[in-house]
């Protein structure tokens, strides 16, 4: 039986999800690199890969299988791809050159500038180490769109928290004025999967969405959590884990905008306050504050 590209991808991604089946990863990489869908390059800097994991769990507006099979062509993603070393770096360079001005560059994690940029080296090109810092400067201006996935990429986040000994900076602070289109900040620790995938689809279908003052898509970040919180008017409680309002323990809901109350997490299973924990403001440019909460 002949297996077509779509069938093959469906099978392959299902196998990844199951985490039990053997896969021909070389074959999968070849299929993923086919010239049919909008090209995406995903770079990971100083981060925990949480934004990748969050994205892989997407269920709304569609599944990750559908994204990979029908919506985008992932050309380079060091977290997901089987290729490594020289062949991975060659895939990155080839994709950026072949799709110069056409690809979407997703950057996850902050970008360390300390120690002569050497805290994060993503590989070697022609025997020369390529730092994350230089990779962003090299590929950012070649991209059609640049997306900062998560708060570390958007604002520095946890990676740039004081004393920031690795000198981490955000995507926008490094690439400001050097990109074809405005950088899109998808804040969140991690990024919400729906926000991530829907924004990729928006970029492909209609271009850069309307952005707020922090370069976040307005449609997701125009809601103040406190203003729609179901715990408003409830008794203030002295610690997390108890049903009530968390203002007394430093809930950041009154100062933070995010789509959590409506989009929620894990296929709409819940969100922080619904799970009896204060909002810690993870979509804010000031995240993480110290202390995170006052309890
Ligand atoms: S729990 Fe937080 S967001 Fe909700 S009402 Fe209290 S202070 Fe506001
Ligand atoms: S409720 Fe607050 S801390 Fe929790 S995910 Fe949403 S923005 Fe982040």
């Amino acid at each position: 039986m002949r297996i077509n590209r779509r069938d093959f991808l469906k099978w392959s991604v299902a196998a990844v999800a199951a985490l039990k089946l053997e896969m021909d990863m070389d074959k999968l990489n070849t299929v993923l690199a086919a010239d049919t869908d909008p090209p995406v390059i995903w770079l990971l800097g100083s981060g925990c890969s949480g934004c990748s994991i969050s994205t892989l769990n997407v269920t709304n507006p569609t599944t990750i299988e559908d994204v990979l099979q029908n919506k985008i062509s992932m050309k380079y993603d060091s977290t997901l791809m089987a290729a490594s070393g020289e062949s991975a770096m060659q895939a990155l360079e080839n994709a950026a050159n072949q799709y110069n001005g056409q690809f979407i560059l997703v950057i996850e994690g902050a970008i360390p500038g300390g120690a002569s940029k050497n805290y994060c080296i993503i590989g070697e090109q022609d025997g020369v180490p390529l730092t994350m810092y230089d990779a962003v400067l090299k590929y950012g201006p070649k991209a059609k769109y640049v997306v900062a996935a998560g708060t570390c990429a958007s604002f520095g986040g946890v990676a740039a928290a004081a004393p920031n000994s690795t000198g981490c900076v955000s995507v926008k602070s490094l690439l400001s004025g050097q990109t074809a289109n405005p950088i899109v900040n998808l804040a969140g620790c991690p990024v919400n999967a729906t926000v991530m995938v829907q924004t990729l689809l928006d970029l492909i279908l209609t271009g850069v969405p309307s952005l707020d003052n922090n370069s976040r898509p307005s449609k997701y970040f125009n809601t103040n959590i406190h203003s729609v919180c179901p715990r408003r008017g409830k008794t203030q409680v002295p610690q997390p884990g108890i049903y009530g309002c968390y203002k007394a323990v430093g809930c950041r809901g009154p100062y933070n905008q995010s789509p959590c109350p409506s989009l929620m997490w894990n296929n709409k299973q819940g969100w922080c306050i619904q799970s009896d924990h204060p909002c810690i403001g993870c979509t804010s440019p000031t995240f993480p504050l110290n202390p995170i909460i006052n309890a």
Side-chain angles (χ1 to χ4, degrees):
M1 182 180 71
R2 188 171 184 277
I3 298 175
N4 63 29
R5 173 177 181 264
R6 190 161 296 187
D7 289 338
F8 181 77
L9 273 172
K10 197 171 180 182
W11 170 80
S12 300
V13 175
V16 167
L19 289 175
K20 287 174 184 163
L21 303 176
E22 289 292 322
M23 306 178 53
D24 186 339
M25 296 305 287
D26 283 334
K27 238 181 190 175
L28 177 60
N29 277 340
T30 305
V31 178
L32 285 173
D35 296 330
T36 51
D37 305 311
V40 174
I41 292 174
W42 187 303
L43 297 177
L44 172 61
S46 272
C48 64
S49 304
C51 293
S52 287
I53 300 301
S54 178
T55 303
L56 287 172
N57 285 327
V58 69
T59 55
N60 171 31
T62 185
T63 61
I64 194 65
E65 291 93 332
D66 182 45
V67 173
L68 291 174
Q69 287 173 49
N70 305 315
K71 304 293 192 294
I72 65 169
S73 178
M74 189 67 85
K75 300 297 182 187
Y76 175 91
D77 183 330
S78 59
T79 305
L80 298 181
M81 67 196 304
S84 60
E86 200 174 319
S87 63
M89 296 308 290
Q90 196 61 55
L92 169 62
E93 182 69 3
N94 290 349
N97 288 334
Q98 184 177 352
Y99 300 99
N100 194 350
Q102 301 169 52
F103 65 91
I104 299 173
L105 177 64
V106 178
I107 299 171
E108 176 182 359
I111 305 144
S116 303
K117 308 177 274 187
N118 285 316
Y119 281 123
C120 184
I121 294 171
I122 65 169
E124 288 187 356
Q125 288 181 337
D126 299 323
V128 179
L130 178 65
T131 65
M132 179 65 180
Y133 196 100
D134 287 339
V136 171
L137 286 175
K138 181 177 184 180
Y139 298 118
K142 292 185 172 188
K144 184 173 185 180
Y145 302 114
V146 176
V147 176
T151 293
C152 294
S154 297
F155 308 123
V158 171
N164 191 8
S165 25
T166 54
C168 275
V169 297
S170 68
V171 173
K172 196 171 177 190
S173 66
L174 191 55
L175 280 180
S176 189
Q178 299 185 60
T179 54
N181 285 292
I183 293 163
V184 180
N185 283 340
L186 301 183
C189 189
V191 64
N192 184 290
T194 298
V195 171
M196 182 71 227
V197 169
Q198 185 61 56
T199 301
L200 285 180
L201 301 182
D202 285 349
L203 290 172
I204 292 166
L205 297 172
T206 57
V208 177
S210 169
L211 303 176
D212 69 6
N213 289 340
N214 291 309
S215 299
R216 305 174 299 187
S218 306
K219 66 178 173 182
Y220 299 120
F221 295 95
N222 64 1
T223 303
N224 174 274
I225 287 183
H226 179 72
S227 69
V228 295
C229 181
R231 304 281 174 102
R232 270 186 85 169
K234 304 293 181 193
T235 304
Q236 291 187 22
V237 290
Q239 66 180 69
I242 303 173
Y243 181 89
C245 167
Y246 301 108
K247 194 166 187 178
V249 289
C251 178
R252 312 290 181 207
Y255 321 102
N256 199 46
Q257 290 81 37
S258 98
C260 295
S262 56
L263 291 183
M264 302 189 197
W265 292 85
N266 299 323
N267 198 14
K268 290 214 166 197
Q269 291 301 302
W271 60 295
C272 298
I273 290 171
Q274 185 183 329
S275 303
D276 289 338
H277 196 280
C279 169
I280 59 173
C282 80
T283 56
S284 163
T286 59
F287 178 79
L289 289 172
N290 185 12
I292 292 272
I293 56 172
N294 301 325

